[in-house]
Amino acid sequence: MAEEEKRTSSSQEAEVRKGPWTMEEDLILINYIASHGEGVWNTLAKSAGLKRTGKSCRLRWLNYLRPDVRRGNITPEEQLLIMELHSRWGNRWSKIARQLPGRTDNEIKNYWRTRIQKKAKQGDSFEYQNQTMTDDASTSHSNGMEECSSSQLNYQMQPNMDNSDAFGAPSYNTDSSESFWNIDEFWSMNPLNGAGD
DNA sequence: AATCCTGCCAACCGCGAAGCG
DNA sequence: GCGCTTCGCGGTTGGCAGGAT
């Protein structure tokens, strides 16, 4: 990928990175937000030295890096609530997400599209509700991350923690020049609690 | 054992709304 | 009041993993 960037490095826009986030980028973003807080994403992206759009930073933070994000293992109760709220509000995912603490609009949207909507088509009626309730309770294993919900994290923002080295080394893939990793492992280390000590 | 298919999730894109000078 | 910039939302896509054949 470095080659493509070199080729087009003549313009600033060529500096913009796309695709999966690396561990280094995540750390930079987490550190920066810990120090300065959220907001003004474009400025944040530049100030933090990230070659990402503000949009991309915001999405990454809200859907993945935020410590209170719960991922995977949507409970039958949550599913019922999603269906109820969707029937009331339609595809207002962000609105629905606000009623489900820790859930993101993106996750709910994905969940709806891949599971509920599909089964709705199959059943073609609200009878699918009971089906999906029982079905999902037994098939949620498909998500390998459900066991390590971020809700278990004891997280606190600590200003001025700018030493990413203090985080140690979560297990991430080093097969390529990129470093992909699992955020749940990262947060499970409580990096912001005592990372600066 | 190899290939194909399906499901799931992370991320990007486009558009409209809101805020600001 | 107007134009520009930024933010937030919803839709869509690409890639990976696991299962089926």
Side-chain angles (χ1 to χ4, degrees):
Chain A
M1 67 91 180
E3 290 301 315
E4 300 150 29
E5 288 184 3
K6 283 176 188 169
R7 258 187 277 137
T8 52
S9 61
S10 54
S11 75
Q12 283 194 339
E13 298 190 2
E15 297 275 337
V16 176
R17 268 180 54 82
K18 291 182 183 176
W21 280 64
T22 65
M23 176 188 179
E24 287 78 15
E25 289 176 312
D26 283 344
L27 289 174
I28 290 169
L29 183 57
I30 290 168
N31 285 339
Y32 193 90
I33 291 176
S35 300
H36 302 90
E38 302 177 37
V40 200
W41 293 102
N42 279 333
T43 305
L44 185 155
K46 287 174 190 164
S47 301
L50 288 164
K51 294 179 171 55
R52 297 275 182 173
T53 63
K55 224 174 184 180
S56 181
C57 292
R58 174 183 165 273
L59 202 67
R60 182 64 175 174
W61 174 252
L62 292 179
N63 288 339
Y64 199 82
L65 296 176
R66 233 177 38 186
D68 60 334
V69 168
R70 297 165 59 209
R71 287 159 48 240
N73 200 29
I74 292 194
T75 66
E77 289 77 17
E78 286 176 316
Q79 184 181 355
L80 197 59
L81 186 57
I82 290 169
M83 290 190 294
E84 182 185 327
L85 294 176
H86 185 270
S87 69
R88 189 187 308 173
W89 294 329
N91 294 357
R92 301 284 142 187
W93 304 117
S94 61
K95 197 172 180 179
I96 294 171
R98 280 184 219 117
Q99 308 305 313
L100 292 134
R103 300 295 184 186
T104 68
D105 57 344
N106 204 34
E107 181 175 25
I108 293 171
K109 180 170 57 181
N110 281 332
Y111 184 79
W112 178 268
R113 293 181 64 86
T114 58
R115 299 193 178 125
I116 300 178
Q117 193 174 55
K118 184 184 65 181
K119 289 178 181 179
K121 281 180 184 174
Q122 288 173 354
D124 200 30
S125 84
F126 261 89
E127 287 181 15
Y128 73 86
Q129 283 191 13
N130 288 335
Q131 181 192 348
T132 52
M133 292 286 287
T134 53
D135 186 54
D136 267 77
S138 61
T139 57
S140 60
H141 66 277
S142 61
N143 188 331
M145 296 180 282
E146 79 274 13
E147 293 295 333
C148 44
S149 163
S150 297
S151 62
Q152 70 190 19
L153 301 175
N154 174 20
Y155 170 86
Q156 285 183 332
M157 280 297 194
Q158 293 191 348
N160 303 322
M161 42 122 347
D162 55 1
N163 181 6
S164 59
D165 287 339
F167 289 158
S171 61
Y172 58 90
N173 188 344
T174 55
D175 285 352
S176 69
S177 58
E178 306 286 2
S179 301
F180 300 105
W181 60 305
N182 185 332
I183 189 64
D184 295 305
E185 294 176 26
F186 174 78
W187 286 121
S188 68
M189 299 188 302
N190 291 334
L192 302 187
N193 285 338
D197 292 331

